[in-house]
Amino acid sequence: MHKFETLDPIVHAPVRLAILTVLISVKSADFTYLKEVTETTDGNLGTHLQKLEDAGYVKVEKSFVGKKPKTTLSITKSGRKAYERYIEGITKYLKI
Amino acid sequence: MNSTKQNEVNDNLNVIKSMIEKTRTDAEESGSIFILWGWLVIAATILTYFFVYKEWFDRIGYIWFILMSLGVIGMIYIVKKRTKKEKVKSYSSVALTNLWISCGVSFLIISFLGIPLKVVPLESLNIIMAVIAGIGLFTTGGILEWNMLRIGGLIWWVAAIIMMFTHWYFHTLIFAIAIIPGYLVPGYALNRKYKNSQNA
């Protein structure tokens, strides 16, 4: 049986898993879109994004559209690999 | 298996399922670019015929240059406006943008380099443009999974074949006729679909 402890704790947190699931299926998404689909607050989303960025799983790009700031997020290669490893891990854990 | 851990993993599977359902991965195409180019080419064609009737042959190039430049400006405006509104960029929208950039660059190379250098005969210009438009429409139909656009692509290819068997004097006219089912009809249909999806 696959050990639960081997699941990546960065990916395992539900909000972070939700963020990575969204980002793996699109080229990029902005902060407000992620907030809408993950149904979380600005602060909570910001904290989780920071952890994902620190782990090198997510790339954060800040820009301006007119005078409004825009934060665009995309998954990195290592983020994609970590996500795939996580899915493989839970599949083995649940013996699907 | 520890039941708390098992529940955590099950909850996470539900998170994945819910996010997949919510994430918009389809490209949304408003059809504005098709409509813009459709009307511009029709206007250019009508003016070309008027200039031919008046025997102002040397001024025909200006009509196309001015109207196509307006098209490029209009397209940049539409793309910029769309980018501002766009909250999520799907892989299919990236594929569509790159496809139409490729078609646009191909048009420009043929019209502004191939024709003046006389390596591409003027008589084949409309045929080449129709073939490229067919590639753009048919592939867009494939990406958006919409048969009306695939049919639009086929219409362009049929128009290209017809042009190969007719005198080049009629090519612009055939091209203008093909614009209606090949650009304007799918453009307006896409626009209606886009507006409905925005209101939903």
Side-chain angles (χ1 to χ4, degrees):
Chain A
M1 193 209 290
H2 194 79
K3 282 184 184 168
F4 181 85
E5 288 69 26
T6 57
L7 294 176
D8 186 342
I10 298 285
V11 185
H12 189 62
V15 177
R16 293 198 287 271
L17 179 64
I19 295 168
L20 290 177
T21 306
V22 174
L23 293 181
I24 204 156
S25 50
V26 296
K27 175 88 177 164
S28 65
D30 79 5
F31 189 90
T32 47
Y33 178 76
L34 274 179
K35 203 178 92 175
E36 263 171 42
V37 289
T38 58
E39 293 174 7
T40 183
T41 59
D42 282 8
N44 194 21
L45 183 61
T47 311
H48 287 293
L49 281 172
Q50 188 60 58
K51 282 192 180 159
L52 287 168
E53 193 187 9
D54 292 345
Y57 293 174
V58 158
K59 191 175 153 199
V60 181
E61 278 172 288
K62 292 183 192 280
S63 60
F64 279 90
V65 177
K67 286 179 182 172
K68 280 187 180 173
K70 187 180 177 178
T71 307
T72 309
L73 306 128
S74 55
I75 196 163
T76 61
K77 267 186 188 171
S78 54
R80 192 174 288 276
K81 274 186 186 161
Y83 186 85
E84 283 164 3
R85 267 198 312 271
Y86 180 80
I87 297 294
E88 213 175 288
I90 55 169
T91 309
K92 281 181 186 163
Y93 182 75
L94 293 170
K95 290 191 210 156
I96 296 173
Chain B
M1 199 186 291
N2 182 323
S3 70
T4 320
K5 287 174 180 174
Q6 168 108 33
N7 286 341
E8 259 182 50
V9 172
N10 282 335
D11 287 346
N12 277 2
L13 280 178
N14 287 329
V15 167
I16 294 170
K17 194 172 161 254
S18 144
M19 286 305 112
I20 289 171
E21 281 166 4
K22 281 185 191 172
T23 309
R24 222 168 37 223
T25 54
D26 295 338
E28 287 189 314
E29 177 53 57
S30 70
S32 320
I33 292 174
F34 290 103
I35 295 168
L36 169 79
W37 283 109
W39 284 116
L40 279 175
V41 173
I42 285 184
T45 314
I46 292 169
L47 283 171
T48 302
Y49 266 81
F50 178 72
F51 277 40
V52 168
Y53 174 74
K54 289 276 182 189
E55 295 184 1
W56 297 336
F57 300 110
D58 52 335
R59 297 181 202 170
I60 291 170
Y62 294 118
I63 304 171
W64 287 89
F65 181 75
I66 293 167
L67 290 177
M68 295 307 107
S69 306
L70 279 177
V72 171
I73 294 166
M75 207 165 81
I76 292 169
Y77 172 76
I78 293 168
V79 170
K80 272 200 165 184
K81 205 175 145 194
R82 188 185 296 171
T83 312
K84 256 187 196 178
K85 273 174 68 181
E86 201 174 51
K87 285 182 176 179
V88 59
K89 192 181 269 179
S90 63
Y91 285 107
S92 41
S93 74
V94 175
L96 281 180
T97 307
N98 283 292
L99 166 71
W100 285 102
I101 289 174
S102 319
C103 290
V105 172
S106 309
F107 280 138
L108 292 176
I109 292 172
I110 301 287
S111 330
F112 295 106
L113 214 60
I115 302 289
L117 290 174
K118 294 190 172 128
V119 284
V120 176
L122 183 64
E123 293 84 354
S124 61
L125 178 65
N126 284 309
I127 299 172
I128 297 169
M129 284 198 169
V131 170
I132 298 173
I135 295 170
L137 258 287
F138 196 87
T139 315
T140 302
I143 294 169
L144 297 177
E145 293 181 325
W146 211 22
N147 281 337
M148 184 182 261
L149 294 172
R150 286 195 189 108
I151 294 166
L154 290 176
I155 287 169
W156 279 114
W157 290 331
V158 170
I161 295 167
I162 293 171
M163 283 189 256
M164 286 175 193
F165 290 100
T166 42
H167 190 273
W168 74 271
Y169 189 78
F170 298 105
H171 287 184
T172 316
L173 185 66
I174 297 165
F175 197 88
I177 295 168
I179 277 275
I180 299 165
Y183 254 54
L184 288 176
V185 173
Y188 279 108
L190 268 174
N191 196 253
R192 203 175 53 223
K193 197 179 171 195
Y194 178 76
K195 280 182 180 162
N196 287 341
S197 79
Q198 295 292 301
N199 294 331

